[in-house]
Amino acid sequence: MMRERQRREKLSQSYADLYAMVSSRSKGDKNSIVQSAAIYIHELKGARDQLQRRNEELKAKIMGHDEQQQCVKVQFEVDEPSSSIDSMIAALRRLKGMSVKTRGIRSSLSGNRLWTEMNVETTIAACEVEKAVEEALKEVERKQPDSDGPFPGSKGWTQTSHVQNVF
């Protein structure tokens, strides 16, 4: 009996708390309290969705994002690059020549591996961006003299790239 009484008191307190939040919308009986709360929650979800859309619009406006452009993430790795700086410059020059806007770059050189990730805006298909970066990297390796390793393009040199849509 005591547990049932505690349960009823807790339930009554919960209705009272809920009524305090929706009192202007409700008659006061339990059914109208719950209905008013459900309507209010639905309205809040709609307002949240609208604010999120507006937030995305403002972010795009701040970044100068054009609706026709897509944001893509370009990732590439070069094992044993003859010059990691030349590889990076070649990739950036190729992107610039394609009128691609670079929004962010993260890169690391660890041992004999160059890893880079770039966020870019482009109206060009992502696969075309990837192909252009690959060609630029291969071109750098062909131009660099290799004194103590295999010739560029041989088994000792590998390069991979990956492009994905960001939003």
Side-chain angles (χ1 to χ4, degrees), residues 78-84 86-87 140-142 144-146 152 157:
V78 180
D79 290 331
E80 300 179 19
S82 24
S83 172
S84 56
D86 288 341
S87 296
V140 167
E141 291 301 316
R142 279 193 298 267
Q144 294 293 324
D146 196 5
W157 182 82

Side-chain angles (χ1 to χ4, degrees), residues 17 27 49 62-63 80 98 120 127 142 147 152 155:
D17 292 343
K27 296 177 188 173
D49 292 344
I62 288 170
M63 291 176 54
E80 300 179 19
M98 298 171 69
V120 299
C127 62
R142 279 193 298 267
S147 58
K155 287 184 175 180

Side-chain angles (χ1 to χ4, degrees), residues 154-166:
S154 68
K155 287 184 175 180
W157 182 82
T158 60
Q159 168 269 325
T160 60
S161 66
H162 173 71
V163 177
Q164 68 184 37
N165 287 336
V166 176

Side-chain angles (χ1 to χ4, degrees), residues 31-70:
N31 190 31
S32 66
I33 291 172
V34 172
Q35 287 176 345
S36 296
I39 291 168
Y40 186 54
I41 289 170
H42 183 71
E43 290 171 1
L44 288 173
K45 285 182 177 180
R48 181 197 63 197
D49 292 344
Q50 184 179 6
L51 289 171
Q52 284 176 335
R53 282 191 301 274
R54 180 68 178 145
N55 191 27
E56 290 302 317
E57 290 171 9
L58 291 173
K59 280 182 184 178
K61 193 173 187 178
I62 288 170
M63 291 176 54
H65 180 69
D66 184 357
E67 289 296 322
Q68 295 176 344
Q69 291 186 331
Q70 62 177 332

Side-chain angles (χ1 to χ4, degrees), residues 83-136:
S83 172
S84 56
I85 292 173
D86 288 341
S87 296
M88 180 66 77
I89 290 171
L92 290 171
R93 281 186 178 153
R94 183 62 58 98
L95 292 173
K96 183 179 179 183
M98 298 171 69
S99 299
V100 173
K101 294 180 184 176
T102 306
R103 294 294 180 194
I105 300 173
R106 186 171 43 174
S107 184
S108 69
L109 180 62
S110 175
N112 289 330
R113 173 174 277 182
L114 169 67
W115 176 87
T116 302
E117 177 181 280
M118 297 180 202
N119 290 325
V120 299
E121 274 187 22
T122 182
T123 55
I124 302 167
C127 62
E128 294 298 319
V129 174
E130 178 180 17
K131 186 176 178 182
V133 170
E134 286 178 2
E135 288 172 1

Side-chain angles (χ1 to χ4, degrees), residues 6-26:
Q6 288 174 341
R7 186 189 71 77
R8 283 194 313 264
E9 286 175 2
K10 186 176 179 182
L11 189 58
S12 293
Q13 184 59 47
S14 296
Y15 277 114
D17 292 343
L18 193 55
Y19 179 71
M21 288 186 243
V22 294
S23 60
S24 63
R25 303 166 160 260
S26 175

